[in-house]
Amino acid sequence: MTNTLPTDSRVALVTGANKGIGLEIARGLGRQGITVLLGCRNEALGRDAAGHLTQEGLHAHALTLDVTDAASAQDAAGRIAQRFGRLDILVNNAGIAAREEADAAREGKPLVDVEVMRRVYETNVFGPVAVTQAMLPLLLQAPAGRIVNVSSGLGSLTNMSDPRHPYAGLAVPAYASSKAALNGITAQLAKVLKDTPIKVNSACPGHCATDLNRHSGPRTPAQGAVTPIRLALLPADGPTGGFFNDEGALPW
């Protein structure tokens, strides 16, 4: 990161931001005048994505960050602290789905595998925890910190146990349960931070066409970014400890 950006603007970190929904979240926040840090595991891809946003007139930087590596998260926090001294917004967007699990579901052969689940949880659950832990001191330095965990409607136990729900028959245990766990972390973290200005919420972007689902979703990444952006920009009287999509609150 260079020292060419204004230090008096809000600063946002979006993980998994070199493509898809993460890139659109970064773009949307950048359009609000916010300095956006694109947390990406691949440095070259991150720089390329940040370059595109910079060409659009946005304040964007690539930040090398592997959410599955706690040391990488701490190192990224140190660089943010040195440059900006605080972090106003954290969007835990980075996530994966197990290809073999999705393939099995399409073939009607449910797959429940410990190693698959462990791999998915490393990114979707332990990753956001590690990044949040590293960034929390910086968020507490901001006047109104915001944490947004990008979840999924598949993480709603209420909906997935309702046989009438459109996706009730989809069996992807690792991915769905990882998002349910992420929702649980959102609720608990909101309690931990209830006496601070920080607000913590989960966002469901909907079924968007991304690499995660082989671009099978009917929604665009830009559409999927709408709710995460809204939650990242909540006013002081906004909600905390909730789960939301474009239409409003979702059941846990």
Side-chain angles (χ1 to χ4, degrees):
M1 294 184 290
T2 65
N3 292 317
T4 58
L5 300 183
T7 57
D8 58 348
S9 65
R10 281 178 291 177
V11 181
L13 168 62
V14 183
T15 66
N18 63 286
K19 61 182 179 179
I21 296 171
L23 179 58
E24 292 301 332
I25 294 171
R27 176 175 281 114
L29 293 175
R31 287 174 175 170
Q32 296 297 316
I34 297 169
T35 297
V36 288
L37 309 178
L38 281 63
C40 306
R41 183 171 54 184
N42 185 300
E43 183 177 359
L45 293 178
R47 287 181 176 176
D48 185 59
H52 285 300
L53 297 186
T54 300
Q55 289 175 2
E56 296 174 21
L58 310 182
H59 296 305
H61 285 303
L63 181 67
T64 303
L65 171 58
D66 181 350
V67 304
T68 67
D69 183 346
S72 175
Q74 290 291 343
D75 180 67
R79 281 178 282 158
I80 295 171
Q82 184 177 26
R83 172 64 182 91
F84 299 102
R86 73 181 194 284
L87 182 66
D88 298 271
I89 297 166
L90 169 61
V91 182
N92 287 308
N93 166 75
I96 64 170
R99 186 62 55 87
E100 58 267 48
E101 185 176 61
D103 288 342
R106 274 190 289 269
E107 295 170 4
K109 302 174 182 178
L111 175 69
V112 181
D113 183 275
V114 172
E115 291 307 316
V116 169
M117 190 163 290
R118 186 173 284 120
R119 187 171 76 245
V120 171
Y121 270 58
E122 282 292 341
T123 298
N124 294 5
V125 181
F126 304 133
V129 172
V131 173
T132 300
Q133 183 179 39
M135 302 299 163
L136 193 53
L138 294 170
L139 288 160
L140 288 168
Q141 293 300 314
R146 300 290 180 263
I147 300 173
V148 181
N149 292 324
V150 178
S151 183
S152 166
L154 297 179
S156 168
L157 299 180
T158 300
N159 287 343
M160 290 305 97
S161 60
D162 181 355
R164 299 166 298 179
H165 192 273
Y167 295 120
L170 181 61
V172 283
Y175 181 78
S177 67
S178 75
K179 293 302 186 180
L182 183 61
N183 285 345
I185 291 165
T186 293
Q188 293 299 315
L189 190 56
K191 291 182 181 181
V192 171
L193 298 172
K194 64 182 178 63
D195 294 325
T196 77
I198 297 176
K199 296 184 183 298
V200 190
N201 291 287
S202 283
C204 170
H207 190 190
C208 301
T210 66
D211 286 352
L212 184 142
N213 56 37
R214 299 179 185 178
H215 296 268
S216 63
R219 287 165 59 85
T220 67
Q223 289 174 316
V226 169
T227 292
I229 292 170
R230 177 172 61 83
L231 295 175
L233 301 175
L234 283 175
D237 60 352
T240 189
F243 183 24
F244 303 91
N245 66 5
D246 291 358
E247 298 176 359
L250 287 171
W252 294 116

